[in-house]
Amino acid sequence: MDAKVFWNVIGQYNEQTNIIQIGLFIFVISAIILSYTHKVNWAAKFALGVANLFIGIVFFAWYGIEPIQKYFAMPLYLLCGALFLFESWYNRNDVFKKPNVLQTILLLFYLSYPFVSLLLGNSFPQMVTYIMPCPIVSLSIVIYACYQRKNKLLLTLLTIWGLTGIKSVIFNAYEDIILLICGLYGVVLFMNEIKVTQKK
């Protein structure tokens, strides 16, 4: 996929789903707040499950036009979504911990996504918004890091997509350097999980 096709897909998606994206963004943020305040511990995982499924079904299955979108990205997001929903039930009592300094910085990076896209000269609809593949995975990695119990398969899949942030140079989507940073953080989280497992 070349850069022009990449941005055309984004433009079409944003134009036709902008209202849904706003609603989903409010839903995700509200769920994170519920988990952060310990009112509904599983809410953030559930909302991220819905968001990842939405990206898999709508962005990649519906608007995707390239084989890599249909046969790599779509299954990855569908599996991430399903695993988040499973985690929201299986580890529903897992407490959402207060983000540390690094996690807070990464959350601010996520919130800066559309503003960085605008600063880079993009404009709606051909710009990065909050409910898009790379921002959603960035958010998913950081929020999942705030939980004590982690599914290694889910963390691996999120990290794999996070590391695809290297494509930011290929598609002139330099805002996805945020994704790459979150992907590298995902590697650190995964290595920590391996160490914890080995100690048991």
Side-chain angles (χ1 to χ4, degrees):
M1 180 188 293
D2 62 31
K4 184 177 180 181
V5 173
F6 172 82
W7 285 106
N8 283 341
V9 169
I10 288 175
Q12 187 179 13
Y13 165 79
N14 280 337
E15 262 188 333
Q16 298 178 13
T17 66
N18 59 330
I19 301 301
I20 299 173
Q21 286 187 58
I22 292 170
L24 189 52
F25 176 72
I26 293 171
F27 170 66
V28 170
I29 297 302
S30 299
I32 291 171
I33 292 171
L34 284 174
S35 293
Y36 178 79
T37 56
H38 306 305
K39 292 181 179 178
V40 186
N41 290 326
W42 51 266
K45 294 179 186 178
F46 181 83
L48 289 172
V50 172
N52 277 276
L53 288 175
F54 177 83
I55 296 297
I57 296 168
V58 178
F59 190 93
F60 289 115
W62 187 262
Y63 291 97
I65 57 175
E66 296 288 327
I68 194 170
Q69 294 176 317
K70 301 285 188 181
Y71 302 112
F72 170 67
M74 182 186 72
L76 184 146
Y77 275 85
L78 292 179
L79 186 52
C80 284
L83 288 170
F84 263 122
L85 294 182
F86 173 77
E87 283 293 299
S88 72
W89 172 79
Y90 186 74
N91 286 318
R92 55 190 174 277
N93 295 320
D94 193 10
V95 177
F96 186 100
K97 298 179 294 183
K98 181 179 179 181
N100 59 31
V101 174
L102 177 57
Q103 291 161 354
T104 300
I105 291 171
L106 294 178
L107 284 172
L108 291 174
F109 281 172
Y110 164 76
L111 292 173
S112 72
Y113 241 113
F115 303 103
V116 172
S117 194
L118 289 170
L119 287 172
L120 289 170
N122 299 312
S123 59
F124 191 85
Q126 291 192 353
M127 62 174 286
V128 179
T129 58
Y130 290 124
I131 307 298
M132 286 183 60
C134 299
I136 284 296
V137 161
S138 298
L139 180 64
S140 294
I141 291 172
V142 181
I143 294 301
Y144 201 37
C146 293
Y147 284 98
Q148 184 175 352
R149 300 174 185 172
K150 296 178 182 66
N151 181 306
K152 291 187 182 67
L153 176 58
L154 174 55
L155 188 56
T156 299
L157 294 173
L158 293 172
T159 300
I160 287 171
W161 190 268
L163 295 176
T164 67
I166 195 71
K167 71 184 183 305
S168 57
V169 179
I170 301 171
F171 296 124
N172 298 320
Y174 295 105
E175 46 272 89
D176 280 343
I177 291 173
I178 295 171
L179 172 68
L180 180 59
I181 294 170
C182 291
L184 293 172
Y185 181 54
V187 173
V188 174
L189 292 174
F190 184 80
M191 295 306 295
N192 287 340
E193 285 300 304
I194 296 296
K195 291 178 182 177
V196 169
T197 302
Q198 290 175 343
K199 289 179 180 179
K200 291 182 179 179

